[in-house]
């Protein structure tokens, strides 16, 4: 099938979902703002796709199309939860699309940025140090910096800098001595994240690191060694840090305290079960019973109102997005861009696994956002930056 036709077909599906979903919400609540948000989001996505396709036709357009689908789904759910969140989020969507286009237009040749590894390292660690010193506690984690007029989550940006650093350090790997500095950088990052109680980000940093090390070396013994050390560190953290112990205990048995510590997970499981296979229908669920439903638990309300079929559709979209990223890595012409593409793809895939795994009680809940869908400017913009880099890499594949 012609790629352009298939691409336009998926994009039409995104437009259709946006217009129909916002129309349903508008009709149900007699809310004219819903129609405007739906039209604006579709026009914005269409404009972004037009610019990229018209002036930069060589890259992988599915990256933008799949990201647009997930962002549109997120906007619909956020508006349905509370219009305030969606109106704020569409601002971040505008910024995200603009940054995506700017990276594609202005970014230099990707291979030319591999010589700045110490800047990347300084930025990755420096952001975590700043968080440790100036960070604010929000919902039990010290992972935000509030500048008064705006707040942001430094670990979201630190992830991308770590990917660029590891790719710069590992692209010409020769022997195990070349792993000393990357291992030290990752270890320091993980220590700061555990101290800040940002356990979800710690898992994602670790997943990114071992995947990039395996692709660069490629020796399974390094990965297994890192996994063993991580498990030992995780076990030690369980006994040393009470917040780690609480998360694990809630995961093992949230029903022990369903109205207290286990309330979020229990309500999430109720919502998913209530949705069944087909869902209750848009606007007919009960998101008010799920704490933090606009951030950590947005997947639960998707399953409640669109059923398991809707949940699977979202997971498949993420799978395809990660697949396109890994495909870009496979066809990259040099090791640096290959590692960057692997790192970004792993970042998205790991974050999806960690948060959805927590929402459905597959793993302990760690309190991170669902990429491109949850409310939050830091995560939303950094994902579009990462996808813009992937798009740029895809323009120079074999």
């Amino acid at each position: 099938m012609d790629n352009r036709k298939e691409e336009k077909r998926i994009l039409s599906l995104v437009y259709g979902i946006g217009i129909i979903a916002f129309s349903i919400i508008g009709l149900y609540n007699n809310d004219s703002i819903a129609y405007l948000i739906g039209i604006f989001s579709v026009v914005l996505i269409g404009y972004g796709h037009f610019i990229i396709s018209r002036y930069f036709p060589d890259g992988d357009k599915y990256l933008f199309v799949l990201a647009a689908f997930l962002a549109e789904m997120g906007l619909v759910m956020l508006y349905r939860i509370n219009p305030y969140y969606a109106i704020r989020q569409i601002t971040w969507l505008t910024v995200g699309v603009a940054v995506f286009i700017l990276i594609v237009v202005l970014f230099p040749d990707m291979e030319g940025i591999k010589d700045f590894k110490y800047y990347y390292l300084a930025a990755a660690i420096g952001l975590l140090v700043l968080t440790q010193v100036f960070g604010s506690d929000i919902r039990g984690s010290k992972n935000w910096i509030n500048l008064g007029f705006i707040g942001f989550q430094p670990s979201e940006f630190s992830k991308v800098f770590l990917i660029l650093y590891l790719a710069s350090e590992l692209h010409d790997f020769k022997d195990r001595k070349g792993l000393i500095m990357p291992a030290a950088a990752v270890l320091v990052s993980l220590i700061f994240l555990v101290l800040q109680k940002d356990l979800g980000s710690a898992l994602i940093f670790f997943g990114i690191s071992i995947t990039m090390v395996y692709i660069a070396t490629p020796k399974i013994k390094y990965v297994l060694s890192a996994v063993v050390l991580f498990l030992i560190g995780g076990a030690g953290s369980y006994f040393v840090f009470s917040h780690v112990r609480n998360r694990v205990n809630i995961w093992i048995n949230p029903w022990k305290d369903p109205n207290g510590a286990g309330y979020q997970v229990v309500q999430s499981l109720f919502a998913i079960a209530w949705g069944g296979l087909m869902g209750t229908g848009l606007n007919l669920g009960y998101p008010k019973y799920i704490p933090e439903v606009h951030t950590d638990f947005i997947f639960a309300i998707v399953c409640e109102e669109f059923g398991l079929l809707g949940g699977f559709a979202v997971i498949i979209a993420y799978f395809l997005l990660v697949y396109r990223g890994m495909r870009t890595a496979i066809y990259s012409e040099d090791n640096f861009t290959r590692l960057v593409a692997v790192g970004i793809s792993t970042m998205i895939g790991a974050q999806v696994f960690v948060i959805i795994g927590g929402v459905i009680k597959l793993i302990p809940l760690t309190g991170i956002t669902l990429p491109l869908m949850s409310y939050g400017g830091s995560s939303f913009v950094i994902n579009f930056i990462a996808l813009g880099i992937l798009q740029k890499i895809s323009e120079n594949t074999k």
Side-chain angles (χ1 to χ4, degrees):
M1 182 183 293
D2 181 73
N3 283 346
R4 291 296 300 273
K5 287 183 179 177
E6 189 177 358
E7 189 183 305
K8 288 181 178 178
R9 187 173 298 176
I10 298 173
L11 203 59
S12 299
L13 179 65
V14 175
Y15 296 156
I17 289 173
I19 294 297
I20 293 171
F22 277 106
S23 298
I24 291 172
I25 296 173
L27 285 170
Y28 192 88
N29 298 314
N30 194 22
D31 179 4
S32 58
I33 302 294
Y35 301 107
L36 295 177
I37 294 291
I39 292 170
F40 183 78
S41 62
V42 165
V43 170
L44 181 62
I45 290 168
Y47 177 73
H49 183 262
F50 168 76
I51 294 293
I52 296 167
S53 300
R54 176 71 175 80
Y55 298 103
F56 305 93
D58 295 332
D60 185 351
K61 308 304 179 304
Y62 290 110
L63 293 169
F64 184 84
V65 172
L66 290 166
F69 167 76
L70 292 165
E72 189 69 39
M73 279 292 294
L75 273 177
V76 169
M77 299 316 298
L78 289 174
Y79 197 91
R80 181 264 171 278
I81 294 167
N82 187 331
Y84 168 80
Y85 297 133
I87 292 170
R88 290 284 300 265
Q89 189 83 340
I90 205 164
T91 305
W92 296 118
L93 176 61
T94 307
V95 174
V97 171
V99 171
F100 186 99
I101 293 172
L102 283 175
I103 289 175
V104 174
V105 174
L106 301 177
F107 228 59
D109 174 45
M110 283 298 298
E111 198 177 355
I113 66 169
K114 69 183 178 186
D115 299 326
F116 303 105
K117 61 182 179 183
Y118 294 116
Y119 293 100
Y120 303 139
L121 178 61
I125 301 296
L127 284 166
L128 297 178
V129 172
L130 285 174
T131 310
Q132 186 66 30
V133 176
F134 301 108
S136 305
D137 276 305
I138 296 180
R139 296 191 296 275
S141 297
K142 188 180 180 180
N143 55 1
W144 281 84
I145 289 182
N146 191 345
L147 299 177
F149 62 96
I150 192 172
F152 71 103
Q153 197 170 354
S155 60
E156 291 290 341
F157 297 88
S158 182
K159 279 186 294 193
V160 173
F161 284 119
L162 183 73
I163 290 169
L164 292 173
Y165 166 70
L166 291 176
S168 302
E169 193 74 74
L170 297 172
H171 77 278
D172 57 351
F173 173 81
K174 294 182 178 61
D175 55 45
R176 61 184 179 182
K177 291 181 181 177
L179 291 176
I180 295 175
M181 274 295 291
V186 173
L187 179 61
V188 170
S189 301
L190 293 178
I191 289 173
F192 274 115
L193 290 169
V194 172
L195 289 175
Q196 293 160 15
K197 305 178 185 177
D198 194 353
L199 304 180
S201 294
L203 280 173
I204 295 166
F205 273 55
F206 179 74
I208 291 169
S209 304
I210 60 170
T211 305
M212 292 181 71
V213 166
Y214 179 70
I215 297 298
T217 51
K219 293 183 178 178
I220 193 67
K221 65 180 181 181
Y222 296 138
V223 175
L224 292 176
S225 300
V227 169
V228 169
L229 290 173
F230 186 79
L231 291 176
I232 292 172
S237 298
Y238 176 83
F239 292 105
V240 173
F241 300 109
S242 60
H243 60 277
V244 177
R245 201 159 47 247
N246 289 338
R247 297 275 179 157
V248 173
N249 291 338
I250 292 168
W251 168 57
I252 292 172
N253 186 12
W255 308 100
K256 185 178 180 181
D257 187 9
N259 294 314
Y263 186 73
Q264 280 184 311
V265 176
V266 167
Q267 291 301 316
S268 170
L269 296 176
F270 276 144
I272 294 170
W274 184 247
L277 181 64
M278 303 296 290
T280 59
L282 182 60
N283 223 72
L284 297 176
Y286 299 94
K288 63 182 180 181
Y289 294 127
I290 309 173
E292 309 303 333
V293 67
H294 60 299
T295 54
D296 305 6
F297 285 88
I298 196 167
F299 185 73
I301 190 64
V302 169
C303 290
E304 183 178 8
E305 299 201 343
F306 292 100
L308 289 178
L309 291 179
F312 281 129
V314 168
I315 291 173
I316 289 171
Y318 281 117
F319 174 81
L320 291 174
L321 188 61
V322 173
Y323 162 73
R324 298 306 297 192
M326 289 297 185
R327 182 182 180 278
T328 298
I330 290 170
Y331 290 104
S332 291
E333 292 183 335
D334 64 274
N335 281 337
F336 173 73
T337 54
R338 180 174 296 114
L339 285 169
V340 172
V342 166
I344 290 173
S345 305
T346 305
M347 178 185 80
I348 296 170
Q351 189 157 339
V352 171
F353 172 76
V354 169
I355 186 57
I356 291 183
V359 168
I360 65 174
K361 197 181 160 304
L362 181 65
I363 60 173
L365 184 67
T366 52
I368 58 173
T369 57
L370 189 59
L372 301 166
M373 288 188 67
S374 292
Y375 174 73
S378 301
S379 173
F380 202 80
V381 172
I382 202 63
N383 278 302
F384 267 100
I385 290 174
L387 289 170
I389 294 172
L390 263 184
Q391 176 77 27
K392 191 69 183 179
I393 294 172
S394 72
E395 289 181 2
N396 297 310
T397 52
K398 297 173 185 174

